[in-house]
Structure formats: C-alpha cells, structure tokens
C-alpha cells in the first residue's frame, strides 16, 4: 500500500497549485483519502477529506472557498486544488487514508497509511 503525493512548489500569494495523491493498493472505490497540512512549528491538521457516509467533501474553515478536493476513480487519484494561496498555507501537504468525522468535525485518519508529503511554499 502506497500513497504518493506530488504537485507542491513555490508560489506567490494569490497563486494556485494542484496537488495529486496516487493510491497504490487502496482503491478509491472502497477507501477515502484526505489531505493534511503540517505548517512550520505546528501539528499536522486536516485540510480536506470526504465523508464516508454520503461522500460529501469537507474543507477546513481556513481553506473554504479556496481549496477543492476531488477524486478520479479511474486513476485512483485524489486531487487538492489550491487557489488564492496565502503565506499561512505554507507547509508540507500529506495525503492519508482518512475521512470526515461528523462528531469531531474534522478529518480523521482511520488507517495508518501516509504519503511522503509535498512542500507548498507561498512567498513573494
């Protein structure tokens, strides 16, 4: 089982990126994949994921209206579209086997499978 994240880079404030997470061994037909971010000096936190119940996408408040999560079943890939990036979006972005937990109101990892991470740096 392997998750491979890519697509990070250096971008100016207001810019955009598209991150990809290719899943090998975890079919998106049966498993949800979510995105987490670890900002410098902070704990890793959920950014976007899907609900296992109804499949709806969840995006953290700090990213609503700017980030979009989507998936391609044929490519077994989950995407995270980042737009209007700000300096506080800087960090290492990881994909993981995770889903939205309605009781905790956040993305929760349910299987200890993580991608290596891809660095996103927002700076002028």
């Amino acid at each position: 089982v392997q998750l491979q994240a890519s697509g990070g880079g250096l971008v100016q404030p207001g810019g955009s990126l598209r991150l990809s997470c290719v899943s090998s061994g975890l079919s998106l037909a049966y498993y949800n994949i979510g995105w987490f971010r670890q900002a410098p000096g902070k704990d890793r936190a959920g950014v976007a994921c899907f609900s296992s119940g109804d499949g709806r996408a969840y995006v953290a408040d700090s990213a609503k209206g700017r980030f979009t999560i989507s998936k391609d079943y044929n490519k077994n890939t989950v995407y995270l579209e980042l737009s209007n990036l700000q300096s506080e979006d800087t960090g290492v972005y990881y994909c993981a086997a995770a889903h939205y937990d309605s009781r905790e109101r956040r993305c929760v990892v349910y299987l200890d499978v993580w991608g290596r991470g891809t660095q996103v740096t927002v700076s002028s």
Side-chain angles (χ1 to χ4, degrees), residues 67-81:
F67 292 7
T68 303
I69 187 172
S70 61
K71 51 187 168 182
D72 185 328
Y73 289 100
N74 291 330
K75 295 182 178 180
N76 221 36
T77 299
V78 177
Y79 301 99
L80 186 66
E81 302 271 359

Side-chain angles (χ1 to χ4, degrees), residues 5-35:
S6 63
L10 173 63
V11 63
Q12 292 185 343
S16 301
L17 285 172
R18 186 175 83 158
L19 308 183
S20 300
C21 176
V22 180
S23 173
S24 301
L26 287 179
S27 170
L28 296 188
Y30 304 106
Y31 294 91
N32 275 317
I33 303 296
W35 287 95

Side-chain angles (χ1 to χ4, degrees), residues 5-109:
S6 63
L10 173 63
V11 63
Q12 292 185 343
S16 301
L17 285 172
R18 186 175 83 158
L19 308 183
S20 300
C21 176
V22 180
S23 173
S24 301
L26 287 179
S27 170
L28 296 188
Y30 304 106
Y31 294 91
N32 275 317
I33 303 296
W35 287 95
F36 292 75
R37 175 177 65 210
Q38 186 158 24
K42 295 186 178 180
D43 292 335
R44 199 173 297 184
V47 175
C49 55
F50 294 98
S51 167
S52 293
D54 57 15
R56 291 185 180 182
Y58 161 82
V59 178
D61 287 344
S62 61
K64 275 183 181 176
R66 301 186 300 119
F67 292 7
T68 303
I69 187 172
S70 61
K71 51 187 168 182
D72 185 328
Y73 289 100
N74 291 330
K75 295 182 178 180
N76 221 36
T77 299
V78 177
Y79 301 99
L80 186 66
E81 302 271 359
L82 316 175
S83 64
N84 192 20
L85 282 160
Q86 307 299 317
S87 58
E88 54 265 32
D89 298 318
T90 293
V92 180
Y93 285 70
Y94 299 88
C95 52
H99 59 200
Y100 178 68
D101 188 307
S102 59
R103 289 175 296 179
E104 297 195 28
R105 297 186 179 184
R106 61 184 180 92
C107 298
V108 173
V109 173

